[in-house]
Amino acid sequence: MKKHEYIWLDGYKPEPTLRSKVLVTDEDAPPDWAFDGSSTQQAEGGNSDCILRPTSEYVGPLSSDKLVMCEVLSLDKTPHPSNTRRRCEGLVTDEWWFGYEQEYFFTNPEDGTILGWEGGTPRPQGDYYCGVGAGNVVGREISETHMDACLAAGIMIVGTNAEVALGQWEYQCFGKGLKAGDDLWVSRYLLQLVAEDYGVSVSFHPKPQEGDWNGSGMHANFSNNQMRNSGSKELMYAICEKLKAVHSEGIAEYGSDNDMRLTGLHETQSIDQFSYAPFDRGASIRIPIYTVDHNWNGYLEDRRPASNADPYRIMAHIVGTLSD
Ligand code: MG
């Protein structure tokens, strides 16, 4: 018998959360399945079934044979309104590469306090970024176990680091086309699963701690064939100008409570402004040194998305804007 662990996005707003359940079957290929949509804000009680349709499979790195990422369909098999993945289909082709820099905080499930802050507010920021040593870093084992689980599943985690605030971490997740979005969601799933074992929660909120503390973003690095192979300064600037023209539409797709994070401080641009420049971590879009050094062939970093943003919506916005 096989254990297939189905994963999907619920109907919660403003951001969906992840759900899962396990199907034990002798079928190798995971079939369509159903769930009670009235318990996930995806259906009314009187007509509550929703359909889970597998979209991508992963080696199960923990207790299941497979992780099965699914999209949600309504009973009539049309895409459910919560199904943001469909916006990317036929649009986000494999020539589009994405590298998401997922930042997050570990928290205590009892009261939501940040891991390492139990004794009160810690020393100001400075020692924690890429920090080493007890007192400078907490949660390393969870971060490393998560990275190994993702790699075993076939998700390309290309790096991790302790972040600027105590209890804050980042990992970078690379993928091509629609798989980039699937992988990011499954990596978030595995992070929460691994942290469960330690009795720790994960906060994807972009500003869990007000004051002189960094928030969490999800910088989206992106490129297409032209940017990688026949790039130029003119091309990169033209792309930034296109995104500038739809800045407010982009912000609407880039996660909730992002106004608490995009203040112009803590390595961000203000939410109501748009700027781009080489090497500038205070810009909306940073042109990385890699791109400049490779004769303007490479990628761009959109620094606006919040840590709680839906990667499908980010991809649909960027690729939709640049495909016009
Ligand atoms: Mg970072």
Side-chain angles (χ1 to χ4, degrees), residues 101 103 161 163 170 219:
E101 303 176 29
E103 295 179 334
N161 58 272
E163 263 301 339
E170 170 179 317
H219 301 157

Side-chain angles (χ1 to χ4, degrees), residues 101-103 129 161-164 168-172 214-215 217 219 267 281 301 303:
E101 303 176 29
Q102 175 72 67
E103 295 179 334
Y129 172 72
N161 58 272
E163 263 301 339
V164 175
Q168 187 186 31
W169 286 83
E170 170 179 317
Y171 62 90
Q172 300 101 37
N214 274 39
H219 301 157
E267 305 170 55
R281 286 186 160 73
E301 179 194 33
R303 299 177 59 82

Side-chain angles (χ1 to χ4, degrees), residues 28-49:
D28 230 6
D32 281 6
W33 201 13
F35 68 97
D36 168 18
S38 71
S39 298
T40 61
Q41 300 193 0
Q42 282 162 308
E44 300 298 327
N47 192 10
S48 63
D49 271 6

Side-chain angles (χ1 to χ4, degrees), residues 2-279:
K2 295 277 191 302
K3 289 181 283 181
H4 296 322
E5 193 167 342
Y6 284 59
I7 304 165
W8 73 97
L9 300 173
D10 65 19
Y12 276 56
K13 289 179 176 154
E15 308 305 333
T17 57
L18 287 153
R19 306 284 175 144
S20 74
K21 59 178 185 166
V22 176
L23 178 69
V24 181
T25 172
D26 55 7
E27 289 184 72
D28 230 6
D32 281 6
W33 201 13
F35 68 97
D36 168 18
S38 71
S39 298
T40 61
Q41 300 193 0
Q42 282 162 308
E44 300 298 327
N47 192 10
S48 63
D49 271 6
C50 291
I51 309 293
L52 292 174
R53 174 153 296 169
T55 55
S56 42
E57 297 178 14
Y58 302 82
V59 175
L62 302 171
S63 66
S64 300
D65 296 288
K66 274 181 187 172
L67 302 178
V68 183
M69 187 65 194
C70 299
E71 63 174 349
V72 174
L73 306 179
S74 300
L75 262 187
D76 62 1
K77 305 288 170 68
T78 58
H80 189 272
S82 64
N83 184 342
T84 51
R85 189 180 192 273
R86 279 292 176 110
R87 299 187 203 169
C88 299
E89 277 193 2
L91 177 68
V92 185
T93 54
D94 286 352
E95 78 155 286
W96 288 93
W97 297 1
F98 285 87
Y100 287 116
E101 303 176 29
Q102 175 72 67
E103 295 179 334
Y104 63 90
F105 279 81
F106 287 127
T107 57
N108 295 293
E110 301 77 23
D111 57 5
T113 54
I114 297 168
L115 202 66
W117 294 49
E118 295 79 9
T121 304
R123 305 186 312 280
Q125 294 182 162
D127 296 330
Y128 310 128
Y129 172 72
C130 298
V132 180
N136 293 330
V137 68
V138 292
R140 186 189 301 282
E141 189 177 350
I142 312 175
S143 164
E144 291 181 346
T145 305
H146 167 251
M147 171 173 60
D148 290 342
C150 286
L151 293 172
I155 295 169
M156 211 186 292
I157 300 294
V158 294
T160 72
N161 58 272
E163 263 301 339
V164 175
L166 184 64
Q168 187 186 31
W169 286 83
E170 170 179 317
Y171 62 90
Q172 300 101 37
C173 187
F174 173 81
K176 297 178 181 178
L178 208 35
K179 187 175 191 301
D182 297 339
D183 287 5
L184 198 274
W185 275 118
V186 176
S187 75
R188 286 178 178 174
Y189 176 76
L190 285 172
L191 179 61
Q192 291 171 281
L193 217 61
V194 166
E196 269 182 34
D197 274 348
Y198 294 84
V200 168
S201 296
V202 178
S203 172
F204 293 106
H205 192 275
K207 197 75 175 184
Q209 188 64 42
E210 292 196 53
D212 200 12
W213 298 95
N214 274 39
S216 296
M218 190 168 72
H219 301 157
N221 299 278
F222 65 93
S223 67
N224 62 11
N225 282 335
Q226 188 184 21
M227 293 166 72
R228 289 189 296 274
N229 301 313
S230 44
S232 63
K233 186 174 179 179
E234 293 68 33
L235 174 72
M236 296 299 174
Y237 278 43
I239 287 171
C240 292
E241 286 293 333
K242 274 191 163 180
L243 289 166
K244 179 180 181 177
V246 290
H247 172 61
S248 54
E249 289 93 325
I251 289 296
E253 300 295 327
Y254 281 2
S256 51
D257 291 330
N258 208 7
D259 55 316
M260 297 172 68
R261 162 183 166 259
L262 295 179
T263 58
L265 301 173
H266 304 113
E267 305 170 55
T268 69
Q269 176 57 285
S270 296
I271 196 164
D272 55 359
Q273 291 180 39
F274 183 97
S275 64
Y276 55 94
F279 327 133

